[in-house]
Each structure stands twice: as C-alpha cells, then as structure tokens.
Amino acid sequence: MGNTVITSYIVDSYPLQSMSVVTYYAVFLNLSAFASPFFIAPWETHSGFTWTFAAQGIITFFGAVPIFAALHRWGGSLRARAGQPSWVNPEFDLM
C-alpha cells in the first residue's frame, strides 16, 4: 500500500521528474530491504514471529498514516513554496 501511494504521489506531483525520483525512491526501498534481514532474525528469535511482524505493522501504520495525511493536506502548498525543480528527465530535455 505504502509503495503505491508514494509512487503515485511522486508521479502526480513531479511528472517531468518522475523517472528520476522513482528511481531514487527505489534505491532507498531496496537498501531497506537489504538491511532488514540483519535485524529481523534476532528480533524474531527474541520476541516471536507474531510480535515481530505485528510491531512492524504498528510502527508502519502510526508512522506512515500521519505522513500520508500531512502530504494530502499540505502537499500542494509545500510543492508551491518549493517551486518546480530545475532538472527534468533526459527524454524531456529536447523539448
């Protein structure tokens, strides 16, 4: 759910920079997927399967929902204040 929301927000908000920003987001997503096994196994051993993944769900829910709500409410004014980025996707440079 979160990845779809973030990617849709990026594409809708920055259409001329969408490929570059989605690639940037994907790199950080993959870095988090790489780092996760280093702490999940010890956490699961100590707390058990149910509490480990329930805690991750709770952390994600209470971390992501307020951020998504804030972007929904104030994202337009934040983007207007920041302005359009000066760089664009390479395929749009010729336009």
Side-chain angles (χ1 to χ4, degrees):
M1 178 184 122
N3 292 331
T4 303
V5 171
I6 292 170
T7 304
S8 297
Y9 180 81
I10 291 168
V11 171
D12 289 344
S13 299
Y14 301 104
L16 294 179
Q17 295 85 10
S18 59
M19 290 299 290
S20 300
V21 178
V22 168
T23 302
Y24 180 76
Y25 171 70
V27 167
F28 279 98
L29 182 68
N30 287 324
L31 284 174
S32 69
F34 173 76
S36 182
F38 292 109
F39 67 86
I40 292 294
W43 187 8
E44 191 273 329
T45 302
H46 182 263
S47 300
F49 180 82
T50 302
W51 282 111
T52 301
F53 292 100
Q56 288 181 38
I58 292 167
I59 291 167
T60 301
F61 179 79
F62 286 107
V65 169
I67 291 171
F68 293 155
L71 283 175
H72 183 75
R73 173 69 177 98
W74 296 292
S77 63
L78 290 171
R79 286 190 310 277
R81 195 174 337 150
Q84 185 73 9
S86 61
W87 48 273
V88 296
N89 290 335
E91 61 269 16
F92 294 118
D93 273 343
L94 302 174
M95 295 182 155

Coordinates of all heavy atoms in Angstrom, one line a residue:
M1 N 0.8 -1.2 0.0 CA 0.0 0.0 0.0 C 0.9 1.3 0.0 O 0.7 2.2 -0.8 CB -0.9 0.0 1.2 CG -1.8 1.2 1.3 SD -2.8 1.2 2.8 CE -2.2 2.8 3.5
G2 N 1.8 1.3 0.9 CA 2.7 2.5 1.0 C 3.5 2.8 -0.2 O 3.6 4.0 -0.7
N3 N 4.0 1.8 -0.9 CA 4.8 2.0 -2.1 C 3.9 2.5 -3.2 O 4.4 3.4 -4.0 CB 5.5 0.7 -2.5 CG 6.5 0.2 -1.6 OD1 7.1 1.1 -0.9 ND2 6.7 -1.0 -1.5
T4 N 2.7 2.0 -3.3 CA 1.8 2.5 -4.4 C 1.5 4.0 -4.1 O 1.4 4.8 -5.1 CB 0.5 1.7 -4.4 OG1 0.9 0.3 -4.6 CG2 -0.4 2.1 -5.5
V5 N 1.2 4.3 -2.9 CA 0.8 5.7 -2.6 C 2.0 6.6 -2.8 O 1.8 7.7 -3.4 CB 0.4 5.8 -1.1 CG1 0.2 7.2 -0.6 CG2 -0.9 5.0 -0.9
I6 N 3.2 6.3 -2.4 CA 4.3 7.1 -2.6 C 4.7 7.3 -4.1 O 4.9 8.4 -4.5 CB 5.5 6.6 -1.8 CG1 5.3 6.7 -0.3 CG2 6.8 7.3 -2.2 CD1 6.3 6.0 0.6
T7 N 4.7 6.2 -4.8 CA 5.0 6.3 -6.2 C 3.9 7.1 -7.0 O 4.3 7.9 -7.8 CB 5.1 4.9 -6.8 OG1 6.1 4.1 -6.1 CG2 5.5 4.9 -8.3
S8 N 2.7 6.9 -6.7 CA 1.6 7.7 -7.3 C 1.8 9.2 -7.0 O 1.6 10.0 -7.8 CB 0.2 7.2 -6.8 OG 0.0 5.9 -7.3
Y9 N 2.1 9.5 -5.7 CA 2.3 10.9 -5.3 C 3.4 11.5 -6.1 O 3.3 12.7 -6.6 CB 2.5 11.0 -3.8 CG 2.8 12.4 -3.3 CD1 1.7 13.2 -3.0 CD2 4.0 12.8 -3.1 CE1 1.9 14.5 -2.6 CE2 4.2 14.1 -2.6 CZ 3.2 14.9 -2.4 OH 3.3 16.2 -1.9
I10 N 4.5 10.8 -6.2 CA 5.7 11.3 -7.0 C 5.3 11.6 -8.4 O 5.7 12.6 -9.0 CB 6.9 10.3 -6.9 CG1 7.4 10.2 -5.5 CG2 8.0 10.6 -7.9 CD1 8.4 9.1 -5.2
V11 N 4.7 10.6 -9.1 CA 4.4 10.8 -10.5 C 3.4 11.9 -10.7 O 3.5 12.7 -11.7 CB 3.8 9.4 -11.1 CG1 3.3 9.6 -12.5 CG2 5.0 8.4 -11.1
D12 N 2.4 12.0 -9.8 CA 1.4 13.1 -10.0 C 2.0 14.5 -9.7 O 1.6 15.5 -10.3 CB 0.2 12.8 -9.1 CG -0.7 11.7 -9.6 OD1 -0.5 11.3 -10.7 OD2 -1.5 11.2 -8.8
S13 N 2.9 14.5 -8.7 CA 3.4 15.8 -8.2 C 4.5 16.3 -9.1 O 4.7 17.5 -9.3 CB 3.9 15.7 -6.8 OG 2.9 15.3 -6.0
Y14 N 5.4 15.4 -9.6 CA 6.5 15.8 -10.4 C 6.6 15.0 -11.7 O 7.4 14.2 -11.9 CB 7.8 15.6 -9.6 CG 7.8 16.4 -8.3 CD1 7.6 15.7 -7.1 CD2 8.1 17.7 -8.3 CE1 7.6 16.5 -5.9 CE2 8.1 18.5 -7.1 CZ 7.9 17.8 -5.9 OH 7.9 18.5 -4.8
P15 N 5.7 15.3 -12.6 CA 5.6 14.5 -13.9 C 6.9 14.6 -14.7 O 7.2 13.6 -15.3 CB 4.4 15.0 -14.6 CG 4.1 16.4 -14.0 CD 4.6 16.3 -12.6
L16 N 7.5 15.7 -14.8 CA 8.7 15.8 -15.6 C 9.9 15.2 -14.9 O 10.9 14.9 -15.6 CB 9.0 17.3 -15.9 CG 8.0 18.0 -16.8 CD1 8.4 19.5 -17.0 CD2 7.8 17.3 -18.1
Q17 N 9.9 14.9 -13.6 CA 11.0 14.3 -12.9 C 10.6 12.9 -12.4 O 11.4 12.4 -11.6 CB 11.4 15.2 -11.7 CG 11.9 16.6 -12.1 CD 10.8 17.6 -12.3 OE1 9.7 17.4 -12.0 NE2 11.2 18.7 -12.8
S18 N 9.5 12.4 -12.8 CA 9.0 11.1 -12.2 C 10.0 10.0 -12.3 O 10.2 9.3 -11.3 CB 7.7 10.8 -12.9 OG 7.9 10.6 -14.3
M19 N 10.6 9.8 -13.5 CA 11.5 8.6 -13.6 C 12.7 8.7 -12.7 O 13.1 7.8 -12.0 CB 12.0 8.5 -15.0 CG 10.9 8.0 -16.0 SD 10.3 6.4 -15.5 CE 11.6 5.3 -16.0
S20 N 13.3 9.9 -12.6 CA 14.5 10.1 -11.7 C 14.1 9.9 -10.2 O 14.8 9.3 -9.5 CB 15.1 11.5 -11.9 OG 15.5 11.6 -13.3
V21 N 13.0 10.5 -9.8 CA 12.6 10.4 -8.4 C 12.1 9.0 -8.0 O 12.4 8.6 -7.0 CB 11.5 11.5 -8.1 CG1 11.1 11.4 -6.7 CG2 12.0 12.9 -8.4
V22 N 11.4 8.3 -8.9 CA 11.0 7.0 -8.6 C 12.2 6.1 -8.5 O 12.3 5.2 -7.7 CB 10.0 6.4 -9.7 CG1 9.8 5.0 -9.6 CG2 8.7 7.2 -9.5
T23 N 13.2 6.3 -9.4 CA 14.5 5.5 -9.3 C 15.2 5.8 -7.9 O 15.7 4.9 -7.3 CB 15.4 5.9 -10.4 OG1 14.7 5.6 -11.7 CG2 16.7 5.1 -10.4
Y24 N 15.2 7.1 -7.5 CA 15.8 7.4 -6.2 C 15.1 6.7 -5.1 O 15.7 6.2 -4.2 CB 15.8 8.9 -6.1 CG 16.3 9.5 -4.8 CD1 17.7 9.6 -4.7 CD2 15.5 10.0 -3.8 CE1 18.2 10.1 -3.5 CE2 16.0 10.5 -2.7 CZ 17.4 10.6 -2.5 OH 17.9 11.1 -1.4
Y25 N 13.7 6.7 -5.2 CA 12.9 6.1 -4.2 C 13.2 4.6 -4.2 O 13.3 4.0 -3.1 CB 11.4 6.4 -4.4 CG 10.5 5.6 -3.5 CD1 10.5 5.8 -2.2 CD2 9.7 4.6 -4.1 CE1 9.6 5.0 -1.4 CE2 8.9 3.8 -3.3 CZ 8.8 4.1 -1.9 OH 8.0 3.3 -1.2
A26 N 13.3 4.0 -5.3 CA 13.5 2.5 -5.4 C 14.9 2.1 -4.8 O 15.0 1.0 -4.2 CB 13.4 2.1 -6.9
V27 N 15.9 2.9 -5.0 CA 17.2 2.7 -4.4 C 17.1 2.6 -2.9 O 17.5 1.6 -2.2 CB 18.2 3.7 -4.8 CG1 19.5 3.6 -4.0 CG2 18.6 3.5 -6.3
F28 N 16.4 3.6 -2.3 CA 16.2 3.5 -0.8 C 15.3 2.4 -0.4 O 15.5 1.8 0.7 CB 15.7 4.9 -0.3 CG 16.8 5.9 -0.2 CD1 17.0 6.8 -1.2 CD2 17.7 5.9 0.9 CE1 18.1 7.7 -1.1 CE2 18.7 6.7 1.0 CZ 18.9 7.7 0.1
L29 N 14.3 2.1 -1.2 CA 13.5 0.9 -0.8 C 14.3 -0.4 -0.8 O 14.2 -1.2 0.1 CB 12.3 0.8 -1.9 CG 11.3 -0.3 -1.6 CD1 10.5 0.0 -0.4 CD2 10.4 -0.4 -2.8
N30 N 15.1 -0.5 -1.8 CA 16.0 -1.7 -1.9 C 17.0 -1.7 -0.8 O 17.4 -2.8 -0.3 CB 16.6 -1.9 -3.3 CG 15.6 -2.3 -4.3 OD1 14.7 -3.1 -4.0 ND2 15.7 -1.8 -5.5
L31 N 17.6 -0.6 -0.4 CA 18.5 -0.6 0.7 C 17.8 -1.0 2.0 O 18.4 -1.7 2.8 CB 19.1 0.8 0.9 CG 20.2 1.2 -0.2 CD1 20.6 2.7 0.0 CD2 21.4 0.3 0.0
S32 N 16.6 -0.6 2.2 CA 15.9 -1.0 3.4 C 15.6 -2.5 3.4 O 15.6 -3.2 4.4 CB 14.6 -0.2 3.6 OG 13.6 -0.5 2.6
A33 N 15.3 -3.0 2.2 CA 15.1 -4.5 2.0 C 16.4 -5.2 2.3 O 16.3 -6.4 2.8 CB 14.5 -4.8 0.6
F34 N 17.5 -4.7 1.9 CA 18.8 -5.3 2.2 C 19.1 -5.3 3.6 O 19.6 -6.3 4.2 CB 19.9 -4.6 1.4 CG 21.3 -5.0 1.7 CD1 21.7 -6.2 1.2 CD2 22.1 -4.3 2.5 CE1 23.0 -6.7 1.5 CE2 23.4 -4.7 2.8 CZ 23.8 -5.9 2.3
A35 N 18.8 -4.2 4.3 CA 19.2 -4.1 5.8 C 18.3 -4.9 6.7 O 18.7 -5.3 7.8 CB 19.2 -2.6 6.2
S36 N 17.1 -5.1 6.2 CA 16.1 -5.8 7.1 C 16.5 -7.2 7.6 O 16.3 -7.4 8.8 CB 14.7 -5.9 6.3 OG 13.7 -6.5 7.1
P37 N 17.0 -8.0 6.8 CA 17.4 -9.4 7.4 C 18.4 -9.3 8.5 O 18.5 -10.3 9.3 CB 18.0 -10.1 6.2 CG 17.4 -9.4 5.0 CD 17.2 -8.0 5.4
F38 N 19.2 -8.3 8.6 CA 20.2 -8.2 9.6 C 19.6 -8.0 11.0 O 20.2 -8.4 12.0 CB 21.2 -7.1 9.4 CG 22.1 -7.4 8.2 CD1 21.9 -6.7 7.0 CD2 23.0 -8.4 8.2 CE1 22.7 -6.9 5.9 CE2 23.8 -8.6 7.1 CZ 23.6 -7.9 5.9
F39 N 18.4 -7.5 11.1 CA 17.8 -7.3 12.4 C 16.5 -8.1 12.6 O 16.1 -8.3 13.8 CB 17.6 -5.8 12.8 CG 16.6 -5.1 11.9 CD1 15.2 -5.2 12.3 CD2 16.9 -4.4 10.8 CE1 14.3 -4.6 11.5 CE2 16.0 -3.8 10.0 CZ 14.7 -3.8 10.4
I40 N 15.9 -8.6 11.6 CA 14.7 -9.3 11.7 C 14.9 -10.7 12.4 O 14.1 -11.1 13.3 CB 14.0 -9.5 10.3 CG1 13.5 -8.2 9.8 CG2 12.9 -10.5 10.4 CD1 12.4 -7.6 10.5
A41 N 15.9 -11.4 12.0 CA 16.1 -12.8 12.5 C 16.4 -12.7 14.1 O 15.7 -13.4 14.8 CB 17.3 -13.4 11.8
P42 N 17.3 -11.9 14.6 CA 17.4 -11.8 16.0 C 16.1 -11.3 16.7 O 15.8 -11.8 17.8 CB 18.6 -10.8 16.2 CG 19.3 -10.7 15.0 CD 18.3 -11.0 13.9
W43 N 15.4 -10.4 16.1 CA 14.2 -9.8 16.7 C 13.2 -10.9 16.8 O 12.5 -11.1 17.8 CB 13.7 -8.7 15.9 CG 12.6 -7.9 16.4 CD1 12.0 -8.0 17.7 CD2 11.9 -6.9 15.8 NE1 11.0 -7.1 17.8 CE2 10.9 -6.4 16.6 CE3 12.0 -6.3 14.5 CZ2 10.0 -5.4 16.3 CZ3 11.1 -5.3 14.2 CH2 10.1 -4.8 15.1
E44 N 13.0 -11.7 15.7 CA 12.0 -12.8 15.7 C 12.4 -13.9 16.7 O 11.5 -14.5 17.3 CB 12.0 -13.4 14.2 CG 10.8 -14.3 14.0 CD 11.1 -15.7 14.4 OE1 12.3 -16.1 14.2 OE2 10.2 -16.4 14.8
T45 N 13.7 -14.2 16.8 CA 14.1 -15.2 17.8 C 13.8 -14.8 19.2 O 13.3 -15.6 20.0 CB 15.6 -15.4 17.7 OG1 15.9 -15.9 16.3 CG2 16.1 -16.5 18.6
H46 N 14.0 -13.5 19.5 CA 13.7 -13.0 20.9 C 12.3 -12.8 21.2 O 11.8 -13.1 22.2 CB 14.5 -11.7 21.0 CG 14.4 -11.1 22.4 ND1 13.4 -10.1 22.7 CD2 15.0 -11.3 23.5 CE1 13.5 -9.8 24.0 NE2 14.5 -10.5 24.5
S47 N 11.5 -12.2 20.2 CA 10.1 -11.8 20.5 C 9.1 -12.8 19.9 O 7.9 -12.7 20.3 CB 9.8 -10.4 19.9 OG 10.7 -9.5 20.5
G48 N 9.5 -13.6 19.0 CA 8.5 -14.5 18.3 C 8.0 -13.8 17.0 O 8.0 -12.6 16.8
F49 N 7.5 -14.7 16.2 CA 7.0 -14.3 14.8 C 5.9 -13.3 14.9 O 5.9 -12.2 14.3 CB 6.6 -15.5 14.1 CG 6.1 -15.3 12.7 CD1 7.0 -15.1 11.6 CD2 4.7 -15.1 12.4 CE1 6.6 -14.9 10.4 CE2 4.3 -14.8 11.1 CZ 5.2 -14.7 10.1
T50 N 4.9 -13.6 15.7 CA 3.7 -12.7 15.8 C 4.0 -11.3 16.2 O 3.7 -10.3 15.6 CB 2.6 -13.3 16.7 OG1 2.3 -14.6 16.2 CG2 1.4 -12.4 16.7
W51 N 4.8 -11.2 17.3 CA 5.1 -9.8 17.9 C 6.0 -9.1 17.0 O 5.9 -7.8 16.9 CB 5.6 -9.9 19.3 CG 4.5 -10.2 20.3 CD1 4.3 -11.3 21.0 CD2 3.5 -9.2 20.6 NE1 3.1 -11.1 21.7 CE2 2.6 -9.9 21.5 CE3 3.2 -7.9 20.2 CZ2 1.5 -9.3 22.1 CZ3 2.0 -7.3 20.7 CH2 1.2 -8.0 21.6
T52 N 6.9 -9.8 16.3 CA 7.9 -9.1 15.5 C 7.2 -8.4 14.3 O 7.4 -7.2 14.1 CB 8.9 -10.1 14.9 OG1 9.6 -10.7 16.0 CG2 9.9 -9.4 13.9
F53 N 6.3 -9.1 13.6 CA 5.7 -8.6 12.4 C 4.5 -7.7 12.8 O 4.2 -6.7 12.1 CB 5.3 -9.7 11.4 CG 6.6 -10.2 10.9 CD1 7.1 -11.4 11.3 CD2 7.3 -9.6 9.9 CE1 8.3 -12.0 10.8 CE2 8.5 -10.1 9.4 CZ 9.0 -11.3 9.8
A54 N 3.9 -7.9 13.9 CA 2.8 -7.0 14.4 C 3.4 -5.7 14.8 O 2.9 -4.6 14.5 CB 2.1 -7.7 15.6
A55 N 4.6 -5.7 15.4 CA 5.2 -4.5 15.8 C 5.7 -3.7 14.6 O 5.5 -2.4 14.5 CB 6.5 -4.8 16.7
Q56 N 6.1 -4.4 13.5 CA 6.5 -3.7 12.3 C 5.3 -3.1 11.7 O 5.3 -1.9 11.1 CB 7.1 -4.6 11.3 CG 8.5 -5.1 11.7 CD 9.1 -6.0 10.7 OE1 8.9 -5.8 9.5 NE2 9.9 -7.0 11.1
G57 N 4.1 -3.8 11.7 CA 2.9 -3.2 11.1 C 2.4 -2.0 11.9 O 2.0 -1.0 11.3
I58 N 2.5 -2.1 13.2 CA 2.1 -0.9 14.1 C 3.0 0.3 13.8 O 2.5 1.4 13.7 CB 2.1 -1.4 15.6 CG1 1.0 -2.4 15.8 CG2 1.9 -0.2 16.5 CD1 1.0 -3.1 17.1
I59 N 4.3 0.0 13.8 CA 5.2 1.1 13.5 C 5.0 1.8 12.2 O 4.9 3.0 12.0 CB 6.7 0.6 13.6 CG1 7.0 0.3 15.1 CG2 7.7 1.7 13.1 CD1 8.3 -0.5 15.2
T60 N 4.8 0.9 11.2 CA 4.5 1.5 9.8 C 3.2 2.2 9.8 O 3.1 3.3 9.2 CB 4.5 0.3 8.8 OG1 5.7 -0.4 8.8 CG2 4.2 0.8 7.4
F61 N 2.1 1.7 10.4 CA 0.8 2.3 10.4 C 0.9 3.7 11.1 O 0.5 4.7 10.5 CB -0.2 1.5 11.1 CG -1.6 2.1 11.1 CD1 -2.4 2.1 10.0 CD2 -2.0 2.7 12.3 CE1 -3.6 2.7 10.0 CE2 -3.3 3.3 12.3 CZ -4.1 3.3 11.2
F62 N 1.5 3.7 12.3 CA 1.5 5.0 13.0 C 2.6 6.0 12.5 O 2.5 7.2 12.8 CB 1.7 4.8 14.5 CG 0.4 4.3 15.1 CD1 0.3 2.9 15.5 CD2 -0.7 5.1 15.3 CE1 -0.9 2.5 16.1 CE2 -1.9 4.6 15.9 CZ -2.0 3.3 16.3
G63 N 3.5 5.5 11.7 CA 4.5 6.3 11.1 C 4.0 6.8 9.7 O 4.2 8.0 9.3
A64 N 3.4 5.9 8.9 CA 3.1 6.3 7.5 C 1.7 7.0 7.4 O 1.7 8.0 6.6 CB 3.0 5.0 6.7
V65 N 0.7 6.7 8.2 CA -0.6 7.3 8.0 C -0.5 8.8 8.3 O -1.0 9.6 7.6 CB -1.6 6.6 8.9 CG1 -2.9 7.4 8.9 CG2 -1.9 5.2 8.3
P66 N 0.2 9.2 9.4 CA 0.3 10.7 9.6 C 1.0 11.4 8.5 O 0.7 12.5 8.1 CB 1.0 10.8 10.9 CG 0.7 9.6 11.7 CD 0.7 8.5 10.6
I67 N 2.1 10.8 8.0 CA 2.8 11.4 6.9 C 2.0 11.5 5.6 O 1.9 12.5 5.0 CB 4.1 10.6 6.6 CG1 5.1 10.8 7.8 CG2 4.8 11.0 5.3 CD1 6.3 9.9 7.7
F68 N 1.3 10.4 5.3 CA 0.4 10.5 4.1 C -0.7 11.5 4.3 O -1.1 12.2 3.4 CB -0.2 9.1 3.8 CG 0.8 8.1 3.4 CD1 0.5 6.7 3.6 CD2 2.0 8.4 2.8 CE1 1.4 5.7 3.2 CE2 2.9 7.5 2.4 CZ 2.6 6.1 2.6
A69 N -1.3 11.6 5.5 CA -2.3 12.6 5.8 C -1.8 14.0 5.6 O -2.4 14.9 5.1 CB -2.9 12.3 7.1
A70 N -0.6 14.2 6.2 CA 0.0 15.5 6.1 C 0.3 15.9 4.6 O 0.1 17.1 4.2 CB 1.3 15.6 6.9
L71 N 0.8 15.0 3.8 CA 1.1 15.2 2.4 C -0.2 15.5 1.7 O -0.3 16.3 0.8 CB 1.8 14.1 1.8 CG 3.3 14.0 2.1 CD1 3.9 12.7 1.5 CD2 4.0 15.2 1.6
H72 N -1.3 14.8 2.0 CA -2.6 15.0 1.4 C -3.1 16.4 1.7 O -3.7 17.1 0.9 CB -3.6 13.9 1.9 CG -4.9 14.0 1.2 ND1 -5.1 13.7 -0.1 CD2 -6.1 14.5 1.7 CE1 -6.4 13.9 -0.4 NE2 -7.0 14.4 0.7
R73 N -2.9 16.8 3.0 CA -3.4 18.1 3.4 C -2.6 19.3 3.0 O -3.1 20.3 2.5 CB -3.5 18.1 4.9 CG -3.9 19.4 5.6 CD -5.4 19.8 5.3 NE -5.8 21.0 5.9 CZ -5.8 22.2 5.3 NH1 -5.4 22.3 4.1 NH2 -6.1 23.2 6.0
W74 N -1.2 19.2 3.1 CA -0.4 20.3 2.9 C 0.6 20.1 1.8 O 1.5 21.0 1.5 CB 0.4 20.7 4.2 CG -0.4 21.1 5.3 CD1 -1.2 22.3 5.4 CD2 -0.7 20.4 6.5 NE1 -1.8 22.3 6.5 CE2 -1.6 21.2 7.3 CE3 -0.3 19.2 7.0 CZ2 -2.0 20.8 8.5 CZ3 -0.7 18.8 8.3 CH2 -1.6 19.6 9.0
G75 N 0.5 19.0 1.0 CA 1.5 18.7 0.0 C 1.5 19.8 -1.1 O 2.5 20.2 -1.6
G76 N 0.3 20.2 -1.5 CA 0.2 21.2 -2.6 C 0.9 22.5 -2.2 O 1.6 23.1 -3.0
S77 N 0.7 23.0 -1.0 CA 1.3 24.2 -0.6 C 2.8 24.1 -0.4 O 3.6 25.0 -0.7 CB 0.7 24.8 0.7 OG 0.9 23.9 1.8
L78 N 3.3 22.9 0.0 CA 4.7 22.6 0.1 C 5.4 22.7 -1.2 O 6.4 23.2 -1.4 CB 5.0 21.3 0.8 CG 4.6 21.2 2.3 CD1 4.7 19.8 2.8 CD2 5.6 22.1 3.1
R79 N 4.7 22.0 -2.2 CA 5.3 22.0 -3.6 C 5.2 23.4 -4.2 O 6.2 23.8 -4.9 CB 4.5 21.0 -4.5 CG 4.8 19.6 -4.2 CD 4.2 18.6 -5.2 NE 2.8 18.9 -5.5 CZ 1.8 18.4 -4.8 NH1 2.0 17.7 -3.7 NH2 0.5 18.7 -5.1
A80 N 4.2 24.1 -3.9 CA 4.1 25.5 -4.5 C 5.2 26.4 -3.9 O 5.8 27.2 -4.6 CB 2.8 26.1 -4.2
R81 N 5.5 26.2 -2.6 CA 6.5 27.0 -2.0 C 7.9 26.6 -2.5 O 8.8 27.5 -2.6 CB 6.4 26.8 -0.5 CG 7.2 27.8 0.3 CD 7.0 27.8 1.8 NE 5.8 27.1 2.2 CZ 5.7 26.4 3.3 NH1 6.7 26.3 4.1 NH2 4.5 25.9 3.6
A82 N 8.1 25.3 -2.7 CA 9.4 24.9 -3.2 C 9.7 25.2 -4.7 O 10.8 25.3 -5.1 CB 9.6 23.3 -3.0
G83 N 8.6 25.2 -5.4 CA 8.8 25.5 -6.9 C 9.1 24.3 -7.7 O 9.4 23.2 -7.1
Q84 N 9.1 24.5 -9.0 CA 9.4 23.4 -9.9 C 10.9 23.1 -9.9 O 11.7 24.0 -10.0 CB 9.0 23.7 -11.3 CG 9.1 22.6 -12.3 CD 8.1 21.5 -12.1 OE1 7.2 21.6 -11.4 NE2 8.3 20.4 -12.8
P85 N 11.4 21.9 -9.8 CA 12.8 21.6 -9.8 C 13.4 22.0 -11.2 O 12.7 21.9 -12.2 CB 12.9 20.0 -9.7 CG 11.6 19.7 -8.9 CD 10.6 20.7 -9.4
S86 N 14.6 22.3 -11.2 CA 15.2 22.8 -12.5 C 15.7 21.7 -13.4 O 16.0 21.9 -14.5 CB 16.4 23.7 -12.1 OG 17.4 22.9 -11.4
W87 N 15.7 20.5 -12.9 CA 16.2 19.3 -13.7 C 14.9 18.5 -14.1 O 13.9 18.5 -13.5 CB 17.1 18.4 -12.9 CG 16.6 18.1 -11.5 CD1 16.8 18.8 -10.4 CD2 15.9 17.0 -11.2 NE1 16.2 18.2 -9.4 CE2 15.6 17.1 -9.8 CE3 15.3 15.9 -11.8 CZ2 14.9 16.2 -9.1 CZ3 14.6 15.0 -11.2 CH2 14.4 15.1 -9.8
V88 N 15.1 17.9 -15.3 CA 14.0 17.1 -15.8 C 14.5 15.7 -16.3 O 15.8 15.5 -16.4 CB 13.2 17.8 -17.0 CG1 12.5 19.0 -16.5 CG2 14.2 18.0 -18.1
N89 N 13.7 14.8 -16.6 CA 14.1 13.5 -17.2 C 14.8 13.8 -18.5 O 14.5 14.7 -19.3 CB 12.9 12.6 -17.5 CG 12.2 12.1 -16.2 OD1 12.9 12.0 -15.2 ND2 11.0 11.8 -16.3
P90 N 15.8 13.0 -18.8 CA 16.6 13.2 -20.1 C 15.7 13.2 -21.3 O 16.0 13.9 -22.3 CB 17.5 12.0 -20.1 CG 17.6 11.5 -18.7 CD 16.3 11.9 -18.0
E91 N 14.6 12.4 -21.4 CA 13.8 12.4 -22.6 C 13.0 13.7 -22.8 O 12.6 14.0 -23.9 CB 12.8 11.2 -22.6 CG 11.8 11.2 -21.4 CD 12.3 10.4 -20.2 OE1 13.5 10.1 -20.1 OE2 11.5 10.1 -19.4
F92 N 12.9 14.5 -21.7 CA 12.2 15.8 -21.9 C 13.2 17.0 -22.1 O 12.8 18.1 -22.3 CB 11.4 16.1 -20.6 CG 10.3 15.1 -20.4 CD1 10.2 14.3 -19.3 CD2 9.3 15.0 -21.4 CE1 9.2 13.5 -19.1 CE2 8.2 14.2 -21.2 CZ 8.2 13.4 -20.1
D93 N 14.5 16.7 -22.1 CA 15.5 17.8 -22.3 C 15.4 18.4 -23.7 O 15.8 19.5 -23.9 CB 16.9 17.3 -22.0 CG 17.3 17.4 -20.6 OD1 16.6 18.1 -19.9 OD2 18.3 16.7 -20.2
L94 N 14.9 17.6 -24.7 CA 14.9 18.0 -26.1 C 13.7 18.9 -26.3 O 13.6 19.5 -27.4 CB 14.9 16.8 -27.0 CG 16.1 15.9 -26.8 CD1 16.0 14.7 -27.7 CD2 17.4 16.7 -27.2
M95 N 12.7 19.0 -25.5 CA 11.5 19.7 -25.7 C 11.7 21.2 -25.5 O 12.4 21.7 -24.8 CB 10.4 19.2 -24.8 CG 10.0 17.8 -25.1 SD 8.7 17.4 -23.9 CE 7.9 16.1 -24.9

